[in-house]
Amino acid sequence: MKNPKIILLILLICVFSKEIIAQCPIIPAPSSYSQYKGKFLFSIFVETNFAQIPENLKKYFDKEMLQQFHTDLLEIESDKPILSFLKIESAIHKDYYEIDVKSNCIQISCTSDASCFYAINSFLQLIEKKGTETYVQNCKITDYPKFEWRGLHLDVSRHFFTVDEVKKYIDLMAFYKFNTFHWHLTDDQGWRIEIKKYPKLTDIGAWRDSTVNAHYTTNPRTYNTDIYGGFYTQEQVKEVVKYAESKYVNIVPEIEMPGHARAALAAYPEFSCTGIQQNVPGLWGVFDDIYCSKKETIDFNIDILSEVLELFPSKFIHVGGDEAPKDRWKKCNNCQKVILENNLNDEHELQSYFIKKIDAFLTSKGRKLIGWDEILEGGLSPNAAVMSWRGTQGGIEAVKQGHAVVMSPGSHCYFDHYQSKNSGEPIAFGGFTSLEKIYSFEPIPEDLSLQESKLILGAQANLWTEYIPNMKQLEYMTFPRALALSQVLWSVSKPSYKEFQETLIKKHLFILKQKDVNYSKAVFYPEMTISKTKKGIQYQFKSDLKEYQFIENNINQQDSNSKISFHKEIKVNLDRQKIPNGETAALVVPFYLGLELNPIYLNYKLHQLLGLPIKYITQPNERYSNNKELCLVDGILGKTPWNSSEWLGFDTTEINFEVNLLKETEIKNVYLSFLEDVSSWIHLPEKIIISTSTDQKKWDEFSFDVTKNKNSYQINKNATYIRYKIVSKMIIPLNFPGEGNIPWTFMDEIMINY
Ligand code: ACM
Ligand code: ZN
């Protein structure tokens, strides 16, 4: 016979916990969420017992409830408040909290002040408005963070952001449960923090007399010659630190050394190797002039850091360490003397020596040095932590050596990269970091053991501001991508990307709008695929999202009154045979987003090789082999600044492939185009050898030199097959970034008769 007690228990569970399967509206998603029937309805006043929480949280909660939901939290001390806070003394997980909403009462239980702040923000996201009703669905939440370093970075050197703008950035990050603000305060193009002992750092170093226009790879370069700059006084810094503390955000200041120091050297040229006075540059990039490694410079930096430590209570202090060319050190008597006196093997060990001195100072003050992964070169300081930006390899290496690591690889965490393939995107640094890619990020690399993985503190996104001149653009580049990263860093039970997308669209874009955030709408853009057809290629734009539909028959938007029919998909066929050669066309795919008509743009080229089969004898590098079969014959020319998806990248000195034209064709000329971006080690090749044949037995060969990006070579032959052999420089020449390494060759399209 069945146990009657169990039956009673099952009955009770059925009666009292009618759990509804529902998606949690909170981002980042809590570790558990159960929704029940019924809801808590807000009236204008909610009796609240705040006894267990600090004053700043009371104020914050009060203000948000009033501003967002016109609800007053009426403080009472009775035993039966409608909304109450409870302190839980212990929990397994740091910053654990619970929220329990029943139809007539709400209980928020916290283990720490920070957890209480997280709970309040979660609770604010639970509140819904329908018509005149404001309510929270009955539910139970338990939650805690996955990683302890949940960071966003901001470069205020390339472009300056005011105290109020920085506070807004902190507000937004805190609302989405980030807890670390990496404040990049110094760089070549501007020194942004007052240092009392060295006033020229801000008198001179905070101001530049020009700023490069357009992308810095544009040739020829032009400059805006307005004076540009700004800095924070120490009082302002203290104010921001205090403000961040009230939102449980720690500020990690970054003072760059020994590279990215041109602004400091403009003020104090005696700390460079040459001693020559130079300006604060208005150009972006990596400069040869860095701090000299002599004792005086190290003392200068220790003086600066001494003042910085007074302002920032952070355990971690970032000292940069990235992109420090060694050219000056090789030729500097002072630097060579330090190498000799300390038995160092080379300039990498000299950088390590420099950082070790700073590490010893910070350690003596009870702090911990963190630097970009270049600080591994020449040996890592004993107490240093590493921020891995050039992929995750540096991070893995540091962990293997027993050091703490923050992951911030360019592939997933650089928010200065493009976020969509829309040709209408505002200018960005280059690269492609979509919402979905960020969402897929896993900060702990697979090959680490459980023990090693504990050294991965977390991750952060970097907002380098060369192409982010103002707050609106900063918001556009940061949101909603930061929400995807917050899921990665907080959620121990991360929902699927599709669920995240839905929650984002249904709820959080409205929240962002209400907070006056200029977020990107890329999440609505249709997914584009390119496929081969019998006669050429097809572009397909597709979306499963319910919120918008494509409008068919409105391509090129020539006739805005044309009949509108709604589809979830548009297909555009481009045929090789029918089309005029070389014509450029702009494809505009209009689609609805709410009530706005938001077109996305795609520029393409019509030509005779579209969709033809290519046989690769040399394979492109895996990282830059997007849509390999069609990339060179898909009609889409690579843009500059480059977006990796449009280019095939090869890291070999010779590239060979063959195109089958399927029938004998008259070829007047062949066209090839290449990318040149020497700062990314991408060079033009030196030679091209074209061979043509009608039968793959007898070949005619033509050889050409490459002197520019876009090249059209006359051959005047009939052929069915074309072989391409592309020969690059053996190594990157002296005095170029990456000298001595094999250069990259990037190609976007091949055409004929163009
Ligand atoms: C970096 O992006 N140079 C750290
Ligand atoms: Zn020197």
Side-chain angles (χ1 to χ4, degrees):
M1 202 181 126
K2 282 177 186 151
N3 185 339
K5 274 188 195 159
I6 291 179
I7 291 172
L8 183 65
L9 190 68
I10 291 170
L11 275 174
L12 279 173
I13 289 170
C14 291
V15 170
F16 292 110
S17 54
K18 285 197 192 109
E19 187 173 343
I20 306 162
I21 303 298
Q23 221 163 290
C24 178
I26 299 169
I27 290 179
S31 46
S32 84
Y33 173 79
S34 310
Q35 189 170 306
Y36 302 102
K37 220 164 164 238
K39 57 194 178 186
F40 176 93
L41 276 168
F42 283 95
S43 62
I44 299 171
F45 298 107
V46 175
E47 292 183 338
T48 311
N49 188 340
F50 276 133
Q52 304 278 354
I53 70 171
E55 201 60 33
N56 62 313
L57 290 179
K58 231 191 268 188
K59 274 201 187 129
Y60 175 74
F61 196 16
D62 232 356
K63 193 169 136 225
E64 293 292 319
M65 286 299 286
L66 200 59
Q67 268 180 4
Q68 290 189 42
F69 308 108
H70 311 292
T71 302
D72 232 330
L73 298 177
L74 204 64
E75 192 168 0
I76 57 155
E77 282 179 15
S78 100
D79 303 344
K80 290 217 177 311
I82 292 173
L83 191 161
S84 62
F85 286 87
L86 195 79
K87 189 114 188 178
I88 317 174
E89 285 314 323
S90 66
I92 303 170
H93 301 286
K94 188 171 179 288
D95 294 334
Y96 175 87
Y97 72 87
E98 291 175 8
I99 301 174
D100 206 347
V101 182
K102 298 205 177 79
S103 300
N104 55 1
C105 77
I106 299 164
Q107 174 92 45
I108 298 177
S109 313
C110 314
T111 52
S112 61
D113 291 351
S115 73
C116 190
F117 181 67
Y118 302 139
I120 290 170
N121 284 318
S122 291
F123 183 73
L124 290 167
Q125 295 184 17
L126 286 175
I127 302 174
E128 292 183 57
K129 267 181 169 175
K130 243 188 209 133
T132 52
E133 260 187 11
T134 304
Y135 66 91
V136 174
Q137 193 64 43
N138 285 349
C139 66
K140 165 102 190 189
I141 286 171
T142 65
D143 198 14
Y144 60 90
K146 184 172 180 184
F147 287 102
E148 67 176 272
W149 187 300
R150 304 182 299 279
L152 284 188
H153 148 290
L154 178 61
D155 163 13
V156 293
S157 173
R158 275 56 178 264
H159 283 101
F160 182 66
F161 293 84
T162 65
V163 166
D164 283 345
E165 288 169 339
V166 170
K167 282 183 180 171
K168 183 176 180 190
Y169 194 64
I170 291 169
D171 284 345
L172 291 167
M173 63 187 277
F175 186 69
Y176 285 105
K177 300 190 176 75
F178 286 92
N179 66 348
T180 307
F181 172 45
H182 174 168
W183 205 358
H184 185 81
L185 286 161
T186 74
D187 213 302
D188 296 306
Q189 295 79 7
W191 184 278
R192 305 280 176 235
I193 177 171
E194 178 191 22
I195 300 295
K196 306 251 191 223
K197 188 163 180 185
Y198 300 104
K200 284 195 284 182
L201 282 172
T202 43
D203 288 349
I204 295 173
W207 307 96
R208 58 178 187 253
D209 57 13
S210 68
T211 302
V212 66
N213 288 321
H215 197 264
Y216 83 125
T217 51
T218 306
N219 196 359
R221 289 189 182 120
T222 60
Y223 288 83
N224 175 335
T225 52
D226 294 341
I227 303 277
Y228 184 91
F231 66 93
Y232 309 103
T233 64
Q234 293 202 350
E235 283 313 304
Q236 286 175 319
V237 169
K238 281 184 211 159
E239 180 191 330
V240 175
V241 168
K242 203 164 152 228
Y243 186 80
E245 265 173 7
S246 78
K247 305 225 159 171
Y248 303 91
V249 169
N250 176 49
I251 303 188
V252 177
E254 180 178 357
I255 306 294
E256 272 266 18
M257 62 192 82
H260 289 292
R262 281 280 303 269
L265 294 176
Y268 296 96
E270 60 268 38
F271 299 122
S272 69
C273 288
T274 64
I276 296 169
Q277 160 86 60
Q278 285 181 291
N279 63 352
V280 176
L283 176 66
W284 322 127
V286 173
F287 297 94
D288 285 345
D289 285 292
I290 65 173
Y291 283 128
C292 180
S293 58
K294 61 193 174 196
K295 182 176 181 309
E296 292 83 343
T297 318
I298 291 170
D299 291 343
F300 169 69
N301 275 296
I302 285 176
D303 286 344
I304 291 169
L305 286 173
S306 301
E307 291 192 32
V308 168
L309 296 190
E310 291 295 313
L311 302 170
F312 294 93
S314 173
K315 180 172 94 171
F316 286 95
I317 302 292
H318 205 301
V319 299
D322 60 321
E323 299 178 319
K326 307 296 184 292
D327 309 62
R328 295 287 182 264
W329 286 6
K330 282 180 189 161
K331 294 175 193 144
C332 169
N333 289 339
N334 285 322
C335 288
Q336 292 304 317
K337 209 168 124 213
V338 180
I339 289 182
L340 210 65
E341 284 172 1
N342 293 282
N343 285 325
L344 306 174
N345 279 319
D346 57 18
E347 288 73 22
H348 293 296
E349 288 193 9
L350 182 55
Q351 164 144 347
S352 172
Y353 167 88
F354 191 120
I355 299 289
K356 271 181 189 149
K357 291 275 178 201
I358 302 294
D359 182 23
F361 167 72
L362 290 174
T363 303
S364 77
K365 300 289 176 193
R367 310 296 182 100
K368 201 167 166 64
L369 179 148
I370 184 163
W372 301 109
D373 55 66
E374 284 94 329
I375 65 169
L376 278 156
E377 294 162 7
L380 198 51
S381 307
N383 194 31
V386 167
M387 192 168 268
S388 192
W389 72 282
R390 299 176 300 175
T392 52
Q393 205 46 48
I396 294 170
E397 207 179 308
V399 162
K400 300 269 180 204
Q401 293 179 27
H403 294 259
V405 163
V406 174
M407 286 296 189
S408 195
S411 56
H412 295 78
C413 293
Y414 269 46
F415 288 8
D416 56 341
H417 292 181
Y418 285 97
Q419 53 194 317
S420 87
K421 293 176 186 167
N422 184 357
S423 307
E425 282 290 351
I427 189 169
F429 187 85
F432 183 61
T433 309
S434 67
L435 195 65
E436 188 165 9
K437 195 166 178 196
I438 296 160
Y439 201 79
S440 72
F441 181 45
E442 180 42 73
I444 297 177
E446 263 173 14
D447 40 0
L448 295 188
S449 69
L450 188 65
Q451 204 53 32
E452 286 167 336
S453 69
K454 290 188 179 141
L455 287 168
I456 307 282
L457 305 179
Q460 73 176 37
N462 296 332
L463 274 298
W464 301 104
T465 58
E466 286 94 334
Y467 305 101
I468 304 181
N470 54 44
M471 191 65 188
K472 282 279 159 250
Q473 185 61 11
L474 177 64
E475 290 170 6
Y476 180 82
M477 298 304 273
T478 312
F479 297 97
R481 290 194 284 192
L483 275 66
L485 187 63
S486 81
Q487 287 276 31
V488 168
L489 295 174
W490 179 279
S491 289
V492 289
S493 39
K494 192 172 80 167
S496 70
Y497 178 67
K498 212 170 157 47
E499 285 169 305
F500 163 71
Q501 247 185 338
E502 274 181 34
T503 311
L504 176 69
I505 291 168
K506 254 198 234 157
K507 175 135 193 140
H508 289 266
L509 295 185
F510 292 100
I511 295 180
L512 291 174
K513 194 165 187 161
Q514 198 186 31
K515 290 181 180 289
D516 191 27
V517 176
N518 178 39
Y519 61 85
S520 156
K521 291 172 182 149
V523 65
F524 292 108
Y525 295 173
E527 206 177 294
M528 177 184 170
T529 47
I530 304 173
S531 52
K532 216 180 249 231
T533 60
K534 235 177 167 172
K535 294 178 179 174
I537 53 165
Q538 182 182 75
Y539 300 148
Q540 184 183 32
F541 300 87
K542 193 165 177 281
S543 175
D544 295 330
L545 298 176
K546 294 181 210 88
E547 271 67 15
Y548 78 96
Q549 305 279 356
F550 295 99
I551 303 164
E552 206 188 35
N553 299 330
N554 201 14
I555 289 166
N556 292 332
Q557 278 195 317
Q558 274 148 4
D559 180 6
S560 55
N561 295 320
S562 66
K563 223 172 81 195
I564 292 170
S565 55
F566 294 99
H567 288 263
K568 284 198 157 195
E569 172 173 291
I570 285 185
K571 290 177 180 168
V572 181
N573 286 310
L574 307 183
D575 290 354
R576 282 186 297 276
Q577 285 92 342
K578 284 183 190 166
I579 50 185
N581 283 324
E583 183 183 311
T584 303
L587 177 68
V588 181
V589 184
F591 64 96
Y592 271 115
L593 170 57
L595 291 175
E596 301 163 61
L597 185 64
N598 282 270
I600 63 160
Y601 303 92
L602 177 75
N603 294 320
Y604 62 94
K605 247 355 171 202
L606 300 168
H607 64 86
Q608 271 174 283
L609 298 188
L610 287 178
L612 286 174
I614 299 182
K615 191 168 111 197
Y616 288 99
I617 292 113
T618 312
Q619 297 298 323
N621 181 288
E622 230 176 89
R623 266 161 70 200
Y624 305 109
S625 58
N626 184 51
N627 203 11
K628 183 183 90 178
E629 301 308 324
L630 287 174
C631 188
L632 295 181
V633 287
D634 63 1
I636 298 175
L637 297 200
K639 282 190 291 293
T640 47
W642 58 286
N643 171 334
S644 57
S645 66
E646 297 154 358
W647 298 89
L648 278 194
F650 296 86
D651 52 359
T652 49
T653 50
E654 202 179 291
I655 302 162
N656 290 286
F657 57 88
E658 187 176 313
V659 179
N660 183 349
L661 299 169
L662 303 178
K663 60 176 186 184
E664 193 173 320
T665 307
E666 184 193 4
I667 305 172
K668 293 196 189 90
N669 60 49
V670 291
Y671 171 98
L672 297 95
S673 51
F674 302 97
L675 180 70
E676 188 177 27
D677 178 5
V678 296
S679 61
S680 302
W681 304 13
I682 304 168
H683 288 248
L684 294 181
E686 288 195 318
K687 230 177 194 10
I688 290 172
I689 296 132
I690 301 286
S691 312
T692 61
S693 171
T694 50
D695 56 5
Q696 282 193 304
K697 288 186 189 117
K698 186 177 162 295
W699 292 88
D700 295 306
E701 204 175 277
F702 309 86
S703 179
F704 307 99
D705 291 335
V706 182
T707 52
K708 50 189 195 294
N709 297 82
K710 299 176 192 298
N711 307 276
S712 192
Y713 304 110
Q714 290 230 341
I715 59 169
N716 293 321
K717 271 275 160 202
N718 278 17
T720 313
Y721 305 94
I722 313 176
R723 270 187 191 160
Y724 295 78
K725 177 173 178 168
I726 296 156
V727 184
S728 79
K729 299 182 186 90
M730 292 303 283
I731 53 166
I732 296 173
L734 231 56
N735 297 325
F736 281 93
E739 64 179 55
N741 290 285
I742 295 174
W744 286 91
T745 305
F746 271 49
M747 303 183 65
D748 58 344
E749 198 76 1
I750 51 172
M751 300 193 261
I752 57 168
N753 300 332
Y754 170 68

